[in-house]
Amino acid sequence: MHRSRVYALLIDSPEPEAAAAFWSAALGAPARPVPSEEQFTSLHEAIPGLVTAVQAVDDAPRFHLDIETDDVEAETARLLGLGATQVGRWLECRILRAPGGHLLCVLPVHSTPEVFEAGARVWP
């Protein structure tokens, strides 16, 4: 058994500064660069309970979800069994494409233990 939950909504953009400025104003959330990961600009509390950020990408603009889990391999296998395909890896993350074409990432738990415990679903 393992657990997972939606951790983040990422706004992927080849123009991250413009996207961050727009979404910050549109959502009323301050845009703050993430010092340890310069490709991300956090939109603090844009969606309560969910990390929301702009991610700089060298690709088409899109949205994607990050799913955090206490077992990356098991969660990846579960999602592959539901029809996703793996399209890449980045550090400990698995990058998947869901049926319909949307990207999602599976990553180790990033939330505090309390937040993860409160929101995670248990999978066989």
Side-chain angles (χ1 to χ4, degrees):
M1 291 182 21
H2 72 281
R3 298 169 297 164
S4 67
R5 74 177 204 102
V6 175
Y7 169 71
L9 171 66
L10 284 295
I11 303 165
D12 298 335
S13 177
E15 299 178 31
E17 295 83 14
F22 173 82
W23 287 109
S24 174
L27 300 174
R32 299 182 183 137
V34 178
S36 60
E37 297 175 295
E38 59 275 350
Q39 75 271 30
F40 295 104
T41 301
S42 173
L43 298 170
H44 187 67
E45 292 298 315
I47 303 172
L50 191 64
V51 170
T52 309
V54 173
Q55 179 177 354
V57 297
D58 293 327
D59 203 350
R62 62 185 173 242
F63 296 94
H64 83 263
L65 294 177
D66 281 359
I67 297 175
E68 67 177 345
T69 180
D70 57 9
D71 187 334
V72 171
E73 295 302 324
E75 182 66 0
T76 299
R78 184 181 81 81
L79 295 171
L80 293 174
L82 294 172
T85 55
Q86 186 166 334
V87 296
R89 290 178 81 144
W90 182 70
L91 303 174
E92 297 174 275
C93 304
R94 303 300 183 276
I95 304 164
L96 308 179
R97 188 170 305 280
H102 296 94
L103 290 178
L104 65 141
C105 295
V106 178
L107 53 134
V109 174
H110 277 55
S111 297
T112 64
E114 299 79 23
V115 169
F116 183 74
E117 293 290 331
R121 296 183 186 265
V122 178
W123 306 103

